[in-house]
Amino acid sequence: MVPVSTQNPAHPEGVPSAPGAFLQDRLAGWVSDLTTLHELTERLAGTSTLDGALQELLDAGAALVGASRGLLVLEPADGRGPSRTIGLGLAHAELGHIETVPRSATAHGRFLDGLPGTDGPVACPDLLADPALDPRCREVAALLGHAATYTQPLMSATTGRLGAAVWLYDEPAEPLERQRHLVAVYARHAAEHLARLLELERARADAAVIAEELLPVRLPRVPGVRLAARHLAAPGGGGDWYDALPLPDEALGLAVGSVGGSGPSALAATGRLRAGLRAYAVLEGEDPVAVLSDLELLLRLTEPATAATALYAYCEPERRTVLLAGAGHTPPLVTGDRRTEFVETTLSAPLGMLSCWEAPSVEFTPLPGETVLLYTDGLLRRTGTTRDRAFARLRSAAAGVPKALRQDPGAVADHILRAVLPDGRDDDGRDGDGRTEGVALLAVRFDQDHSPPGTRR
């Protein structure tokens, strides 16, 4: 916490201060205040998340007004959210007590409700001495041991009302005029920074919603296999996707892929590629090479500046065979009681990198009870390690799935995400180099009670 200068000119009693000394003291105070504001705003500018900025604002404001506790309520006036309440020196239960006070009885509540006369800061220097104080407010103040409050509204020139910060004093008190000025200047700067982070968070949330809408609403139910999928969206709305669709003769088309870049353009390309692959899989799904060749042509026609990786597999559960082809994609991983190994696939360039893509397909036969994992490259990159170590980490995680969980492909997928990602299954989306990475993971378990070849269920 950066201390605020509270020094006042001091002179021996009875000795008048010279005008020059007085000006020097005033100048020193101004320099100290400017230095403090500079340090606090620099620290605030260093925050890149909304939650981090809110906490920094609350801490810095407490230092400026000389308080040790407080709370900050984020509640944008446009109603689009997000809405949050954070505390300083207050436990979760104590924040809950404060929230039971009627909003109209608090300065910050009146400001957030847009009531007249609440556009500026409000000081309540002696709460318990106020005869008009709401009984519930008096009860909570006595319970939490605060005797005074100072409320600073948070307003942005671009987005309007954002929220309010309230600092609590253990004894009757109020900030000096100089402290009020400093916290007001700091709050104006902080509100603009919050407005930018707010828009960024909203954009990320919108991108995540769109990314989820581009994925299958539900996975198909095909005799002989059980499916589970997990998707961790990148903060910027990356292009990692998966798909599974039923095909004639109880076959199954499986796909995972990744589009380079992030944001709206990557999301649009993802939607077009997934829709194209679905069409090609229906037309010629038994030939994965033909499916990806058509996808390559679609990418060059609609997204000429985009590169993408994809893996498509034609699965016949009754015969327990998987025929697949990959374009610059990571190899599937097969795991079960007897083995955990990567499927040997041929090397090929990503889609969009060559004038004409083609690579041979690979066929393999999973054993009864085994699970095949199809995943995007983001799962490896988000480990923050080298590629070889990331592959080893993934294989170790799959081999370490407890036997009791192996029958459930969803439990297998969750275990692997927790074991492979540095912080478990998180949604932060940033790898060790700070890049944004999404993850798509499709788990396909072949049932133990598999029907003999040539039979139908």
Side-chain angles (χ1 to χ4, degrees), residues 61-62 65-71 90 98 101 105-110 120-130 133 137-138 140-142 144-153 164-176 180 183:
V65 300
S68 59
R69 294 186 294 168
L71 69 149
L90 294 172
I98 294 175
V101 177
T106 64
H108 71 278
R110 293 193 295 273
V122 178
C124 298
D126 195 345
L127 280 174
L128 301 181
D130 183 1
L133 188 65
C137 186
R138 184 184 301 275
V140 170
L144 301 185
H146 67 268
T149 63
Y150 185 74
T151 302
Q152 175 66 53
V166 185
W167 292 282
L168 312 177
Y169 297 89
D170 298 337
E171 302 289 341
E174 63 179 309
L176 301 173
R180 294 189 186 203
V183 78

Side-chain angles (χ1 to χ4, degrees), residues 302-346:
T302 61
E303 311 288 341
T306 300
T309 66
L311 185 147
Y312 174 73
Y314 178 78
C315 172
E316 295 182 274
E318 289 196 351
R319 295 180 59 232
R320 211 168 55 250
T321 59
V322 178
L323 182 66
L324 64 88
H329 208 79
T330 49
L333 179 64
V334 182
T335 182
D337 294 336
R338 296 183 180 180
R339 62 172 177 170
T340 297
E341 59 188 30
F342 291 99
V343 177
E344 292 188 9
T345 56
T346 55

Side-chain angles (χ1 to χ4, degrees), residues 134-326:
D134 180 87
R136 180 55 185 166
C137 186
R138 184 184 301 275
E139 181 183 347
V140 170
L143 177 66
L144 301 185
H146 67 268
T149 63
Y150 185 74
T151 302
Q152 175 66 53
L154 300 174
M155 297 279 293
S156 166
T158 55
T159 58
R161 189 172 68 249
L162 294 177
V166 185
W167 292 282
L168 312 177
Y169 297 89
D170 298 337
E171 302 289 341
E174 63 179 309
L176 301 173
E177 184 63 32
R178 198 180 106 269
Q179 292 174 308
R180 294 189 186 203
H181 175 71
L182 287 175
V183 78
V185 173
Y186 177 77
R188 286 197 296 270
H189 174 84
E192 298 304 326
H193 184 63
L194 288 180
R196 291 189 291 270
L197 293 178
L198 184 65
E199 288 305 312
L200 180 60
E201 180 155 316
R202 286 173 173 176
R204 287 175 173 174
D206 291 342
V209 170
I210 295 173
E212 291 299 326
E213 291 294 327
L214 293 175
L215 301 174
V217 176
R218 62 179 62 87
L219 295 174
R221 301 184 66 178
V222 176
V225 296
R226 282 186 288 164
L227 303 173
R230 299 294 184 263
H231 181 252
L232 305 183
D240 288 74
W241 57 276
Y242 66 87
D243 205 352
L245 64 156
L247 298 175
D249 299 325
E250 294 188 344
L252 185 64
L254 305 169
V256 291
S258 179
V259 175
S262 62
S265 60
L267 291 173
T270 298
R272 282 190 280 269
L273 284 182
R274 178 174 169 256
L277 183 137
R278 288 197 137 223
Y280 303 142
V282 171
L283 292 174
E284 46 194 2
E286 296 183 18
D287 186 354
V289 171
V291 171
L292 291 187
S293 296
D294 291 342
L295 201 63
E296 159 75 17
L297 178 60
L298 174 67
L299 185 69
R300 284 194 285 118
L301 292 176
T302 61
E303 311 288 341
T306 300
T309 66
L311 185 147
Y312 174 73
Y314 178 78
C315 172
E316 295 182 274
E318 289 196 351
R319 295 180 59 232
R320 211 168 55 250
T321 59
V322 178
L323 182 66
L324 64 88

